[in-house]
Amino acid sequence: MSGPVEVEYTGVRELRGPLVVVEGVSGVGWDEFATIVLDSGERRHGLVLEVDRDLAVVQVLEDTSGMNRTGTRVAFSGSPMRIPVGAGWLGRVCNGRGEPADGGPPVLGGSYEPVGGAPINPVRREPPNEPVLTGVGAVDVLTTLVRGQKLPVFSAAGLPHLELAVQIAAQATCGGEPFAVVFAGMGLTHADTAFVRDGLAARSAARELVLFLNTADDPVIERLLTPRLALTVAEHLAFTRGRHVLVVMTDMTAYSEALREVSAARGEIPARRAYPGYLYSDLASLYERCGRIRGRPGSVTILPVLTMPAGDITHPVPDLTGYITEGQIVLSADVQAAGTYPPVDPLASLSRLMRKGTGAGRTRADHPAVAAQLIAALARSRQVAELADLIGRPALSPTDLCHLDLQDAFRDRFLAQRTDEDRSLDDSLDRAWEVLLTLPRSQLGMLPAVLIDTHAPPPHEER
Protein backbone atom coordinates (compact mmCIF):
# COMPACT_ATOMS: atom_id res chain seq x y z
CA MET A 1 0.00 0.00 0.00
CA SER A 2 2.98 2.34 0.02
CA GLY A 3 6.13 3.22 -1.83
CA PRO A 4 9.67 1.98 -1.12
CA VAL A 5 11.02 2.19 2.43
CA GLU A 6 13.47 5.05 2.90
CA VAL A 7 14.09 5.37 6.65
CA GLU A 8 14.14 2.80 9.48
CA TYR A 9 14.33 3.31 13.26
CA THR A 10 14.58 1.00 16.26
CA GLY A 11 14.16 3.53 19.10
CA VAL A 12 10.65 2.79 20.39
CA ARG A 13 10.20 4.93 23.49
CA GLU A 14 6.60 4.05 24.40
CA LEU A 15 3.63 1.83 23.51
CA ARG A 16 0.37 3.55 24.40
CA GLY A 17 -2.89 1.87 23.34
CA PRO A 18 -2.89 1.91 19.52
CA LEU A 19 0.08 4.32 19.44
CA VAL A 20 3.85 3.84 19.15
CA VAL A 21 6.16 6.69 20.08
CA VAL A 22 9.41 6.51 18.11
CA GLU A 23 12.43 8.63 19.13
CA GLY A 24 15.47 9.82 17.22
CA VAL A 25 13.63 10.40 13.95
CA SER A 26 14.43 12.99 11.30
CA GLY A 27 12.82 13.84 8.00
CA VAL A 28 9.56 12.16 8.97
CA GLY A 29 6.32 13.94 8.07
CA TRP A 30 2.72 13.99 9.26
CA ASP A 31 0.43 11.31 7.76
CA GLU A 32 3.43 9.35 6.51
CA PHE A 33 2.91 5.63 6.02
CA ALA A 34 5.01 3.32 8.22
CA THR A 35 5.78 -0.38 8.31
CA ILE A 36 6.38 -1.89 11.76
CA VAL A 37 8.34 -5.15 12.06
CA LEU A 38 8.08 -7.06 15.36
CA ASP A 39 10.90 -9.17 16.77
CA SER A 40 8.89 -12.24 15.66
CA GLY A 41 9.03 -11.05 12.06
CA GLU A 42 5.35 -10.06 11.95
CA ARG A 43 4.69 -6.93 9.91
CA ARG A 44 2.16 -4.27 10.86
CA HIS A 45 1.31 -0.93 9.37
CA GLY A 46 0.77 2.57 10.71
CA LEU A 47 0.34 6.25 9.99
CA VAL A 48 2.24 9.17 11.54
CA LEU A 49 -0.13 11.22 13.68
CA GLU A 50 2.32 13.75 15.07
CA VAL A 51 5.98 14.77 14.82
CA ASP A 52 7.63 16.80 17.59
CA ARG A 53 11.34 17.44 17.05
CA ASP A 54 12.87 13.94 17.08
CA LEU A 55 9.70 12.14 18.26
CA ALA A 56 7.09 10.60 15.97
CA VAL A 57 3.71 9.29 17.16
CA VAL A 58 2.54 6.42 14.94
CA GLN A 59 -0.95 4.93 15.05
CA VAL A 60 -0.79 1.18 14.39
CA LEU A 61 -3.57 -0.10 12.17
CA GLU A 62 -3.47 -3.58 13.68
CA ASP A 63 -3.07 -2.28 17.27
CA THR A 64 0.00 -2.71 19.50
CA SER A 65 -0.98 -5.94 21.27
CA GLY A 66 1.93 -8.37 21.43
CA MET A 67 4.51 -5.69 20.66
CA ASN A 68 7.65 -5.00 22.75
CA ARG A 69 9.70 -1.83 22.92
CA THR A 70 12.86 -3.76 22.21
CA GLY A 71 13.18 -5.62 18.95
CA THR A 72 10.59 -3.51 17.14
CA ARG A 73 11.68 -1.71 13.98
CA VAL A 74 9.72 1.13 12.36
CA ALA A 75 10.31 1.93 8.70
CA PHE A 76 8.95 5.15 7.19
CA SER A 77 8.03 5.26 3.51
CA GLY A 78 8.52 8.98 2.91
CA SER A 79 4.96 9.42 1.56
CA PRO A 80 1.35 9.19 2.77
CA MET A 81 -0.53 5.90 2.62
CA ARG A 82 -1.61 5.01 -0.90
CA ILE A 83 -3.87 2.30 -2.27
CA PRO A 84 -4.34 0.91 -5.77
CA VAL A 85 -7.38 2.31 -7.55
CA GLY A 86 -9.39 1.08 -10.48
CA ALA A 87 -12.29 -1.11 -11.53
CA GLY A 88 -10.65 -4.10 -9.80
CA TRP A 89 -12.38 -3.09 -6.58
CA LEU A 90 -15.85 -3.67 -8.05
CA GLY A 91 -17.42 -6.88 -6.83
CA ARG A 92 -14.93 -7.26 -3.98
CA VAL A 93 -15.50 -7.61 -0.23
CA CYS A 94 -12.68 -6.26 1.96
CA ASN A 95 -12.03 -5.56 5.61
CA GLY A 96 -11.65 -2.04 6.95
CA ARG A 97 -7.99 -1.90 5.80
CA GLY A 98 -8.81 -2.86 2.22
CA GLU A 99 -7.55 -6.43 2.54
CA PRO A 100 -9.67 -9.09 0.79
CA ALA A 101 -12.32 -10.75 2.97
CA ASP A 102 -13.88 -12.77 0.14
CA GLY A 103 -11.06 -15.28 -0.36
CA GLY A 104 -9.85 -13.54 -3.51
CA PRO A 105 -6.41 -12.12 -4.34
CA PRO A 106 -5.30 -8.65 -3.27
CA VAL A 107 -6.84 -5.83 -5.27
CA LEU A 108 -4.50 -4.46 -7.92
CA GLY A 109 -4.77 -1.25 -9.92
CA GLY A 110 -2.96 0.65 -12.60
CA SER A 111 -2.23 3.57 -10.29
CA TYR A 112 -2.05 4.46 -6.60
CA GLU A 113 -3.78 7.32 -4.84
CA PRO A 114 -3.29 8.74 -1.30
CA VAL A 115 -6.16 7.81 1.02
CA GLY A 116 -6.22 11.30 2.52
CA GLY A 117 -7.75 12.70 -0.65
CA ALA A 118 -8.28 16.39 -1.32
CA PRO A 119 -11.30 18.70 -1.42
CA ILE A 120 -12.70 19.66 -4.80
CA ASN A 121 -11.64 23.11 -6.00
CA PRO A 122 -14.76 25.29 -5.53
CA VAL A 123 -14.14 26.96 -8.87
CA ARG A 124 -14.42 23.58 -10.63
CA ARG A 125 -17.31 22.23 -8.56
CA GLU A 126 -20.45 21.62 -10.61
CA PRO A 127 -23.76 22.29 -8.78
CA PRO A 128 -25.70 19.04 -8.19
CA ASN A 129 -28.78 18.91 -10.43
CA GLU A 130 -29.67 15.28 -11.21
CA PRO A 131 -31.38 12.76 -8.90
CA VAL A 132 -30.20 9.46 -7.47
CA LEU A 133 -33.33 7.30 -7.17
CA THR A 134 -33.28 4.87 -4.25
CA GLY A 135 -36.52 2.94 -4.73
CA VAL A 136 -37.63 4.12 -1.27
CA GLY A 137 -40.72 6.27 -1.73
CA ALA A 138 -40.26 8.50 1.32
CA VAL A 139 -36.72 9.38 0.19
CA ASP A 140 -37.36 9.76 -3.54
CA VAL A 141 -40.47 11.96 -3.18
CA LEU A 142 -39.89 14.00 -0.02
CA THR A 143 -36.09 14.15 0.48
CA THR A 144 -34.73 13.47 -2.99
CA LEU A 145 -31.05 12.56 -3.09
CA VAL A 146 -29.18 14.58 -5.73
CA ARG A 147 -25.96 13.49 -7.45
CA GLY A 148 -23.02 15.09 -5.70
CA GLN A 149 -24.97 15.74 -2.48
CA LYS A 150 -24.16 14.67 1.08
CA LEU A 151 -27.39 13.67 2.83
CA PRO A 152 -27.11 11.90 6.21
CA VAL A 153 -29.55 9.51 7.88
CA PHE A 154 -30.12 10.34 11.56
CA SER A 155 -31.23 7.32 13.53
CA ALA A 156 -31.22 5.94 17.07
CA ALA A 157 -30.56 2.60 18.73
CA GLY A 158 -33.21 0.03 17.86
CA LEU A 159 -34.27 1.67 14.58
CA PRO A 160 -33.69 -0.10 11.23
CA HIS A 161 -31.06 2.28 9.87
CA LEU A 162 -28.83 -0.55 8.66
CA GLU A 163 -31.76 -2.14 6.83
CA LEU A 164 -32.51 1.19 5.16
CA ALA A 165 -28.85 1.75 4.24
CA VAL A 166 -28.61 -1.71 2.68
CA GLN A 167 -31.90 -1.26 0.81
CA ILE A 168 -30.75 2.06 -0.64
CA ALA A 169 -27.36 0.60 -1.56
CA ALA A 170 -29.05 -2.37 -3.26
CA GLN A 171 -31.65 -0.38 -5.21
CA ALA A 172 -30.13 3.04 -6.04
CA THR A 173 -29.84 4.00 -9.71
CA CYS A 174 -28.92 7.02 -11.81
CA GLY A 175 -31.28 6.89 -14.77
CA GLY A 176 -29.48 4.13 -16.65
CA GLU A 177 -26.06 5.82 -16.51
CA PRO A 178 -22.96 3.89 -15.28
CA PHE A 179 -23.40 3.52 -11.54
CA ALA A 180 -21.61 1.97 -8.57
CA VAL A 181 -22.03 1.80 -4.80
CA VAL A 182 -19.20 1.88 -2.26
CA PHE A 183 -20.42 0.67 1.13
CA ALA A 184 -18.25 1.39 4.19
CA GLY A 185 -19.37 -0.34 7.40
CA MET A 186 -17.72 0.74 10.66
CA GLY A 187 -18.04 -0.97 14.04
CA LEU A 188 -20.50 -3.59 12.75
CA THR A 189 -21.33 -6.79 14.59
CA HIS A 190 -20.65 -10.05 12.77
CA ALA A 191 -24.42 -10.52 12.35
CA ASP A 192 -24.62 -7.05 10.77
CA THR A 193 -21.73 -7.91 8.46
CA ALA A 194 -23.47 -11.07 7.29
CA PHE A 195 -26.70 -9.09 6.76
CA VAL A 196 -24.90 -6.48 4.64
CA ARG A 197 -23.15 -9.10 2.51
CA ASP A 198 -26.37 -11.04 1.92
CA GLY A 199 -28.43 -7.93 1.16
CA LEU A 200 -25.92 -6.63 -1.38
CA ALA A 201 -24.92 -9.96 -2.94
CA ALA A 202 -26.78 -9.29 -6.20
CA ARG A 203 -25.22 -5.87 -6.71
CA SER A 204 -21.79 -7.29 -5.85
CA ALA A 205 -22.24 -10.13 -8.37
CA ALA A 206 -23.10 -7.50 -11.01
CA ARG A 207 -19.75 -5.78 -10.26
CA GLU A 208 -21.47 -2.58 -9.18
CA LEU A 209 -20.43 -2.70 -5.52
CA VAL A 210 -17.35 -2.32 -3.32
CA LEU A 211 -17.68 -3.46 0.30
CA PHE A 212 -15.43 -2.32 3.14
CA LEU A 213 -16.51 -3.96 6.40
CA ASN A 214 -14.92 -3.04 9.73
CA THR A 215 -16.28 -5.05 12.66
CA ALA A 216 -16.53 -3.98 16.30
CA ASP A 217 -13.70 -6.34 17.31
CA ASP A 218 -11.29 -4.99 14.68
CA PRO A 219 -8.63 -2.48 15.79
CA VAL A 220 -10.09 0.94 16.50
CA ILE A 221 -7.60 2.65 14.19
CA GLU A 222 -8.95 0.65 11.26
CA ARG A 223 -12.30 2.36 11.81
CA LEU A 224 -10.69 5.72 11.02
CA LEU A 225 -9.19 4.37 7.82
CA THR A 226 -12.28 2.63 6.40
CA PRO A 227 -14.23 5.69 5.12
CA ARG A 228 -11.07 7.20 3.63
CA LEU A 229 -10.36 4.04 1.65
CA ALA A 230 -13.98 3.98 0.46
CA LEU A 231 -13.89 7.60 -0.69
CA THR A 232 -10.53 7.19 -2.46
CA VAL A 233 -11.89 4.24 -4.45
CA ALA A 234 -15.13 6.15 -5.16
CA GLU A 235 -13.32 9.27 -6.40
CA HIS A 236 -11.36 7.26 -8.96
CA LEU A 237 -14.45 5.38 -10.16
CA ALA A 238 -16.30 8.69 -10.54
CA PHE A 239 -13.83 11.23 -11.86
CA THR A 240 -11.55 8.91 -13.85
CA ARG A 241 -13.87 6.05 -14.82
CA GLY A 242 -16.96 8.22 -15.36
CA ARG A 243 -19.37 6.44 -13.02
CA HIS A 244 -21.90 7.98 -10.70
CA VAL A 245 -20.96 6.60 -7.27
CA LEU A 246 -23.03 6.44 -4.10
CA VAL A 247 -20.94 6.09 -0.93
CA VAL A 248 -22.87 4.73 2.05
CA MET A 249 -21.03 5.11 5.37
CA THR A 250 -22.44 3.55 8.53
CA ASP A 251 -22.09 4.17 11.40
CA MET A 252 -20.45 7.61 11.66
CA THR A 253 -21.04 7.61 15.42
CA ALA A 254 -18.81 4.52 15.70
CA TYR A 255 -16.22 6.38 13.60
CA SER A 256 -16.40 9.43 15.86
CA GLU A 257 -16.04 7.32 18.99
CA ALA A 258 -12.92 5.75 17.50
CA LEU A 259 -11.59 9.24 16.85
CA ARG A 260 -12.31 10.14 20.49
CA GLU A 261 -10.48 7.03 21.72
CA VAL A 262 -7.38 7.81 19.68
CA SER A 263 -7.50 11.44 20.81
CA ALA A 264 -7.59 10.33 24.44
CA ALA A 265 -4.62 8.00 23.86
CA ARG A 266 -2.69 10.95 22.46
CA GLY A 267 -3.44 12.95 25.61
CA GLU A 268 -5.25 15.73 23.76
CA ILE A 269 -7.46 18.20 25.61
CA PRO A 270 -11.07 17.06 25.10
CA ALA A 271 -13.86 19.33 23.90
CA ARG A 272 -17.62 18.81 24.05
CA ARG A 273 -18.56 15.39 25.52
CA ALA A 274 -14.90 14.37 25.42
CA TYR A 275 -14.72 14.44 21.62
CA PRO A 276 -11.62 16.16 20.19
CA GLY A 277 -11.95 19.80 19.25
CA TYR A 278 -11.20 18.96 15.62
CA LEU A 279 -14.21 16.62 15.24
CA TYR A 280 -15.91 19.15 12.96
CA SER A 281 -12.96 19.50 10.60
CA ASP A 282 -12.34 15.75 10.61
CA LEU A 283 -15.94 14.98 9.62
CA ALA A 284 -15.81 17.74 7.02
CA SER A 285 -12.67 16.18 5.50
CA LEU A 286 -14.83 13.12 4.74
CA TYR A 287 -18.17 14.67 3.82
CA GLU A 288 -16.68 17.31 1.54
CA ARG A 289 -15.09 14.69 -0.73
CA CYS A 290 -18.35 14.43 -2.67
CA GLY A 291 -19.60 16.39 -5.64
CA ARG A 292 -19.20 16.81 -9.38
CA ILE A 293 -16.21 18.32 -11.19
CA ARG A 294 -16.79 20.57 -14.18
CA GLY A 295 -15.48 18.94 -17.35
CA ARG A 296 -15.26 15.45 -15.84
CA PRO A 297 -17.82 12.66 -15.98
CA GLY A 298 -19.26 10.99 -12.92
CA SER A 299 -20.17 12.13 -9.43
CA VAL A 300 -19.67 11.12 -5.79
CA THR A 301 -22.78 11.22 -3.59
CA ILE A 302 -22.45 10.50 0.14
CA LEU A 303 -25.10 8.98 2.41
CA PRO A 304 -23.65 8.89 5.95
CA VAL A 305 -25.68 6.99 8.55
CA LEU A 306 -25.31 7.80 12.24
CA THR A 307 -27.04 6.80 15.45
CA MET A 308 -27.89 9.59 17.87
CA PRO A 309 -27.09 8.48 21.45
CA ALA A 310 -30.38 8.45 23.41
CA GLY A 311 -32.00 9.97 20.30
CA ASP A 312 -30.35 13.32 21.07
CA ILE A 313 -30.11 15.33 17.86
CA THR A 314 -27.98 17.94 19.70
CA HIS A 315 -25.27 15.34 20.36
CA PRO A 316 -21.95 16.51 18.81
CA VAL A 317 -21.92 13.95 15.98
CA PRO A 318 -25.39 14.69 14.48
CA ASP A 319 -25.06 18.36 15.41
CA LEU A 320 -21.79 18.86 13.51
CA THR A 321 -22.91 16.59 10.69
CA GLY A 322 -25.97 18.79 10.24
CA TYR A 323 -23.77 21.86 9.85
CA ILE A 324 -21.68 20.24 7.11
CA THR A 325 -24.29 18.37 5.08
CA GLU A 326 -27.24 19.46 2.97
CA GLY A 327 -30.18 18.24 5.00
CA GLN A 328 -31.00 15.01 6.82
CA ILE A 329 -33.31 11.99 6.75
CA VAL A 330 -34.55 11.46 10.31
CA LEU A 331 -35.89 8.11 11.51
CA SER A 332 -38.57 8.19 14.20
CA ALA A 333 -39.15 5.80 17.10
CA ASP A 334 -42.85 6.75 17.08
CA VAL A 335 -43.27 5.70 13.44
CA GLN A 336 -41.32 2.51 14.18
CA ALA A 337 -43.64 1.78 17.12
CA ALA A 338 -46.60 1.98 14.74
CA GLY A 339 -45.07 -0.90 12.78
CA THR A 340 -44.19 1.12 9.68
CA TYR A 341 -41.02 0.68 7.63
CA PRO A 342 -39.13 2.82 6.80
CA PRO A 343 -39.82 4.85 9.96
CA VAL A 344 -39.04 8.22 8.36
CA ASP A 345 -40.25 11.40 10.05
CA PRO A 346 -41.12 13.57 7.03
CA LEU A 347 -41.47 16.80 9.02
CA ALA A 348 -37.99 16.48 10.56
CA SER A 349 -36.37 15.44 7.27
CA LEU A 350 -35.07 17.77 4.59
CA SER A 351 -33.05 17.69 1.38
CA ARG A 352 -31.78 21.21 0.72
CA LEU A 353 -30.76 20.42 -2.87
CA MET A 354 -34.00 18.66 -3.76
CA ARG A 355 -35.31 21.57 -5.82
CA LYS A 356 -32.18 21.39 -8.02
CA GLY A 357 -32.70 17.72 -8.87
CA THR A 358 -36.46 17.38 -9.32
CA GLY A 359 -39.12 18.55 -11.75
CA ALA A 360 -39.62 18.34 -15.50
CA GLY A 361 -36.76 16.63 -17.31
CA ARG A 362 -35.33 15.23 -14.09
CA THR A 363 -38.02 13.36 -12.17
CA ARG A 364 -41.60 14.37 -13.02
CA ALA A 365 -43.14 17.79 -13.65
CA ASP A 366 -45.53 17.53 -10.70
CA HIS A 367 -42.90 16.25 -8.24
CA PRO A 368 -41.88 19.54 -6.50
CA ALA A 369 -45.48 20.70 -6.05
CA VAL A 370 -46.68 17.31 -4.77
CA ALA A 371 -43.82 17.08 -2.26
CA ALA A 372 -44.43 20.61 -0.96
CA GLN A 373 -48.19 20.06 -0.64
CA LEU A 374 -47.73 16.71 1.12
CA ILE A 375 -45.35 18.22 3.68
CA ALA A 376 -47.74 21.14 4.27
CA ALA A 377 -50.67 18.74 4.71
CA LEU A 378 -48.72 16.56 7.15
CA ALA A 379 -47.75 19.65 9.19
CA ARG A 380 -51.42 20.63 9.41
CA SER A 381 -52.31 17.05 10.34
CA ARG A 382 -49.88 17.10 13.23
CA GLN A 383 -51.41 20.34 14.51
CA VAL A 384 -54.90 18.84 14.29
CA ALA A 385 -53.76 15.72 16.14
CA GLU A 386 -52.47 17.88 19.00
CA LEU A 387 -55.77 19.80 18.99
CA ALA A 388 -57.74 16.55 19.10
CA ASP A 389 -55.80 15.50 22.19
CA LEU A 390 -56.96 18.70 23.90
CA ILE A 391 -60.60 19.02 22.86
CA GLY A 392 -61.48 15.56 21.55
CA ARG A 393 -62.19 14.31 18.05
CA PRO A 394 -65.97 15.08 18.10
CA ALA A 395 -65.21 18.80 18.46
CA LEU A 396 -63.19 18.94 15.23
CA SER A 397 -64.51 20.41 12.00
CA PRO A 398 -65.04 18.17 8.94
CA THR A 399 -61.90 19.63 7.34
CA ASP A 400 -59.90 18.95 10.50
CA LEU A 401 -61.16 15.38 10.50
CA CYS A 402 -59.91 14.94 6.94
CA HIS A 403 -56.46 16.16 8.02
CA LEU A 404 -56.55 13.79 10.99
CA ASP A 405 -57.32 10.84 8.70
CA LEU A 406 -54.56 11.93 6.33
CA GLN A 407 -51.89 10.77 8.79
CA ASP A 408 -53.12 7.18 8.60
CA ALA A 409 -53.49 7.35 4.83
CA PHE A 410 -49.95 8.69 4.51
CA ARG A 411 -48.50 5.95 6.71
CA ASP A 412 -50.43 3.07 5.15
CA ARG A 413 -50.61 4.04 1.46
CA PHE A 414 -47.39 6.00 0.95
CA LEU A 415 -44.77 5.51 3.63
CA ALA A 416 -45.01 1.77 4.30
CA GLN A 417 -43.10 -0.56 2.01
CA ARG A 418 -41.17 -3.81 2.26
CA THR A 419 -37.42 -3.87 2.88
CA ASP A 420 -36.95 -5.54 -0.52
CA GLU A 421 -39.48 -3.39 -2.42
CA ASP A 422 -37.94 -1.31 -5.19
CA ARG A 423 -40.71 1.24 -5.74
CA SER A 424 -40.61 3.31 -8.92
CA LEU A 425 -40.82 7.09 -8.71
CA ASP A 426 -44.06 7.11 -10.72
CA ASP A 427 -45.63 4.66 -8.28
CA SER A 428 -44.45 6.71 -5.29
CA LEU A 429 -45.81 9.97 -6.74
CA ASP A 430 -49.13 8.32 -7.63
CA ARG A 431 -49.40 7.10 -4.03
CA ALA A 432 -48.70 10.65 -2.84
CA TRP A 433 -51.59 11.86 -5.02
CA GLU A 434 -53.88 9.20 -3.48
CA VAL A 435 -53.07 10.54 -0.03
CA LEU A 436 -53.52 14.20 -0.97
CA LEU A 437 -56.86 13.59 -2.66
CA THR A 438 -58.32 12.43 0.65
CA LEU A 439 -58.42 16.16 1.46
CA PRO A 440 -61.00 18.63 0.12
CA ARG A 441 -59.84 20.50 -2.96
CA SER A 442 -59.86 23.74 -0.95
CA GLN A 443 -56.99 22.37 1.15
CA LEU A 444 -54.71 21.78 -1.85
CA GLY A 445 -53.72 25.39 -2.43
CA MET A 446 -50.10 24.58 -3.29
CA LEU A 447 -51.09 22.45 -6.29
CA PRO A 448 -51.98 24.09 -9.64
CA ALA A 449 -55.61 23.52 -10.58
CA VAL A 450 -54.60 21.82 -13.83
CA LEU A 451 -52.66 19.18 -11.89
CA ILE A 452 -55.58 18.52 -9.56
CA ASP A 453 -57.93 18.18 -12.54
CA THR A 454 -55.56 15.67 -14.12
CA HIS A 455 -55.23 13.43 -11.07
CA ALA A 456 -58.57 13.89 -9.27
CA PRO A 457 -61.30 11.30 -9.86
CA PRO A 458 -64.54 12.34 -11.66
CA PRO A 459 -66.88 14.43 -9.45
CA HIS A 460 -69.20 11.52 -8.61
CA GLU A 461 -66.20 9.55 -7.26
CA GLU A 462 -64.79 12.32 -5.06
CA ARG A 463 -64.68 11.61 -1.34
Side-chain angles (χ1 to χ4, degrees), residues 303-314:
L303 187 80
V305 182
L306 58 90
T307 51
M308 302 177 290
D312 181 10
I313 202 168
T314 66

Side-chain angles (χ1 to χ4, degrees), residues 132-206:
V132 175
L133 297 180
T134 66
V136 179
V139 175
D140 290 344
V141 173
L142 300 179
T143 56
T144 310
L145 185 61
V146 184
R147 300 178 203 176
Q149 183 180 9
K150 40 195 181 292
L151 184 66
V153 175
F154 287 4
S155 183
L159 298 183
H161 47 272
L162 186 62
E163 288 86 343
L164 181 60
V166 169
Q167 183 176 12
I168 290 174
Q171 298 177 174
T173 58
C174 270
E177 297 186 42
F179 186 70
V181 174
V182 180
F183 191 101
M186 292 160 281
L188 302 179
T189 65
H190 289 281
D192 288 343
T193 299
F195 173 77
V196 171
R197 293 185 66 163
D198 291 344
L200 298 177
R203 177 142 257 174
S204 183

Side-chain angles (χ1 to χ4, degrees), residues 85-92 94 105-109 207 209-210 233 236-237 241:
V85 292
W89 287 98
L90 294 169
R92 299 303 302 272
C94 301
V107 179
L108 301 176
R207 290 182 58 81
L209 176 76
V210 187
V233 172
H236 180 83
L237 291 173
R241 301 274 174 168

Side-chain angles (χ1 to χ4, degrees), residues 65-147:
S65 58
M67 291 177 59
N68 297 314
R69 286 180 52 205
T70 58
T72 297
R73 305 190 307 278
V74 183
F76 297 95
S77 66
S79 64
M81 181 178 180
R82 297 174 178 268
I83 60 168
V85 292
W89 287 98
L90 294 169
R92 299 303 302 272
V93 181
C94 301
N95 63 17
R97 297 192 302 275
E99 299 170 346
D102 53 8
V107 179
L108 301 176
S111 60
Y112 284 72
E113 295 291 341
V115 299
I120 298 174
N121 186 335
V123 176
R124 298 192 59 196
R125 188 183 287 272
E126 191 79 33
N129 59 6
E130 296 288 342
V132 175
L133 297 180
T134 66
V136 179
V139 175
D140 290 344
V141 173
L142 300 179
T143 56
T144 310
L145 185 61
V146 184
R147 300 178 203 176

Side-chain angles (χ1 to χ4, degrees), residues 5-310:
V5 171
E6 296 182 358
V7 185
E8 187 175 84
Y9 297 92
T10 58
V12 175
R13 171 184 285 192
E14 184 181 354
L15 300 174
R16 187 195 316 149
L19 307 180
V20 174
V21 180
V22 187
E23 60 184 356
V25 304
S26 63
V28 176
W30 175 80
D31 207 30
E32 193 167 326
F33 185 71
T35 302
I36 302 147
V37 182
L38 281 61
D39 50 6
S40 64
E42 179 187 351
R43 299 172 71 88
R44 300 186 185 181
H45 308 89
L47 298 172
V48 176
L49 282 183
E50 185 178 346
V51 179
D52 183 9
R53 293 184 291 273
D54 67 337
L55 294 179
V57 179
V58 181
Q59 61 178 7
V60 184
L61 302 183
E62 298 87 351
D63 213 338
T64 58
S65 58
M67 291 177 59
N68 297 314
R69 286 180 52 205
T70 58
T72 297
R73 305 190 307 278
V74 183
F76 297 95
S77 66
S79 64
M81 181 178 180
R82 297 174 178 268
I83 60 168
V85 292
W89 287 98
L90 294 169
R92 299 303 302 272
V93 181
C94 301
N95 63 17
R97 297 192 302 275
E99 299 170 346
D102 53 8
V107 179
L108 301 176
S111 60
Y112 284 72
E113 295 291 341
V115 299
I120 298 174
N121 186 335
V123 176
R124 298 192 59 196
R125 188 183 287 272
E126 191 79 33
N129 59 6
E130 296 288 342
V132 175
L133 297 180
T134 66
V136 179
V139 175
D140 290 344
V141 173
L142 300 179
T143 56
T144 310
L145 185 61
V146 184
R147 300 178 203 176
Q149 183 180 9
K150 40 195 181 292
L151 184 66
V153 175
F154 287 4
S155 183
L159 298 183
H161 47 272
L162 186 62
E163 288 86 343
L164 181 60
V166 169
Q167 183 176 12
I168 290 174
Q171 298 177 174
T173 58
C174 270
E177 297 186 42
F179 186 70
V181 174
V182 180
F183 191 101
M186 292 160 281
L188 302 179
T189 65
H190 289 281
D192 288 343
T193 299
F195 173 77
V196 171
R197 293 185 66 163
D198 291 344
L200 298 177
R203 177 142 257 174
S204 183
R207 290 182 58 81
E208 294 179 342
L209 176 76
V210 187
L211 268 180
F212 293 96
L213 299 174
N214 163 266
T215 58
D217 56 353
D218 285 331
V220 67
I221 296 298
E222 183 179 302
R223 212 158 298 151
L224 304 182
L225 186 62
T226 302
R228 290 175 168 82
L229 293 178
L231 288 164
T232 302
V233 172
E235 287 167 344
H236 180 83
L237 291 173
F239 304 132
T240 302
R241 301 274 174 168
R243 290 177 180 257
H244 296 288
V245 185
L246 173 64
V247 182
V248 180
M249 303 190 298
T250 179
D251 178 342
M252 293 307 297
T253 302
Y255 169 88
S256 301
E257 289 172 352
L259 192 69
R260 178 170 61 181
E261 185 173 334
V262 173
S263 175
R266 294 174 64 182
E268 296 174 336
I269 298 174
R272 188 160 54 128
R273 300 208 189 180
Y275 287 96
Y278 51 82
L279 177 62
Y280 177 91
S281 58
D282 190 276
L283 290 173
S285 72
L286 299 176
Y287 298 151
E288 292 294 350
R289 291 175 68 175
C290 69
R292 305 185 68 177
I293 299 178
R294 185 171 289 112
R296 289 198 190 182
S299 63
V300 175
T301 306
I302 296 180
L303 187 80
V305 182
L306 58 90
T307 51
M308 302 177 290

Side-chain angles (χ1 to χ4, degrees), residues 133-141 160 163-164 167-168 171 335-336 339-344 410-425 427-429 431:
L133 297 180
T134 66
V136 179
V139 175
D140 290 344
V141 173
E163 288 86 343
L164 181 60
Q167 183 176 12
I168 290 174
Q171 298 177 174
V335 180
Q336 170 77 357
T340 302
Y341 172 89
V344 174
F410 171 80
R411 185 175 61 249
D412 297 337
R413 300 188 201 177
F414 177 83
L415 184 60
Q417 68 180 90
R418 302 187 313 275
T419 56
D420 61 348
E421 181 183 350
D422 188 357
R423 188 177 290 174
S424 70
L425 179 64
D427 186 11
S428 295
L429 285 170
R431 288 169 180 264

